[in-house]
Amino acid sequence: MDQNPDDSEARAAALEAGRLLFARTWDFVTSVARYDQLVPPKGVEVAFAGRSNVGKSSLINAVTGRNGLARTSNTPGRTQLLNFFSTSDFGGAEPITIVDMPGYGYAEAPKKTVDAWTSLIFDYLRGRPNLRRVFVLVDARHGLKGNDLAALKALDTAAVTYQIVLTKADKVKPPALEKLIRQTQEEIGRRPAAFPVVLATSSEKGTGLAELRATIAELGGFVAPALPR
């Protein structure tokens, strides 16, 4: 079936809006360890969540085009704070902020530390009125694991819209990746807060980055909806 020209044009506009948004300089804003340290809500926030070794910081750096913006580490569980990134150049529009959430599933951290992370995350999810979407990152080599499913259940309970973003898609052969996307869509299709479109990305190869940028630009109101929202 031929694609509707209007849909094609809208998609191109969304991709261009995403390119322009992330052509700007993005910077670190602040880190918080407690809910009462959060700055007042302003504009739109989108959060990145995932297992502690899923490549979350690498994806944030790739999306923003700023190597070293989000601190990467070979040590799982290094991100223990809510880290906020934004740009000061929005041309009069409301700002968009990216929030890097502490990784989950790192069993070697002290229980007291894990409890503090958990409390901070849940307080943020339940109490942040301008949080538009949580991008839940899942390693394409492994698919949804037990602690991923637990995180999705928590997001469903908190009634926070989330979207699955597969990372390291370049490490999986195309047929296996397509199968994983179908399986993931089937799994989240039964979940009330899940957004039905699964994005496949690679920080190394750049796969899917344009679509992710466009999605964030749309959530921030920088372009009329074109990609599925």
Side-chain angles (χ1 to χ4, degrees), residues 48-54 56 76-77 79 101-107 114 117-118 121 134-139 143-152 155 164:
F48 283 63
R51 289 172 56 89
S52 55
N53 58 351
V54 77
K56 184 158 46 66
T79 301
M101 302 182 71
Y104 55 77
Y106 180 52
V114 173
W117 298 354
T118 303
I121 290 170
V134 175
F135 295 105
V136 180
L137 276 52
V138 174
D139 192 322
L144 290 166
K145 295 297 185 182
N147 44 18
D148 295 312
L149 295 174
L152 301 189
L155 289 164
I164 302 296

Side-chain angles (χ1 to χ4, degrees), residues 26-42:
W26 285 69
D27 296 301
F28 169 77
V29 177
T30 189
S31 293
V32 302
R34 301 191 313 272
Y35 184 74
D36 59 8
Q37 295 176 333
L38 285 170
V39 297
K42 184 179 181 181

Side-chain angles (χ1 to χ4, degrees), residues 52-129:
S52 55
N53 58 351
V54 77
K56 184 158 46 66
S57 297
S58 295
L59 184 60
I60 291 173
N61 289 340
V63 167
T64 59
R66 289 287 310 277
N67 289 331
L69 178 63
R71 187 177 180 183
T72 60
S73 173
N74 292 325
T75 304
R78 190 64 175 269
T79 301
Q80 301 179 14
L81 308 170
L82 289 175
N83 296 309
F84 291 73
F85 307 97
S86 191
T87 175
S88 59
D89 178 16
F90 282 98
E94 285 293 307
I96 298 176
T97 301
I98 291 175
V99 184
D100 184 8
M101 302 182 71
Y104 55 77
Y106 180 52
E108 295 182 24
K111 184 178 185 303
K112 184 177 180 180
T113 301
V114 173
D115 289 345
W117 298 354
T118 303
S119 177
L120 173 62
I121 290 170
F122 274 89
D123 287 345
Y124 172 73
L125 292 176
R126 286 193 296 258
R128 202 64 171 170

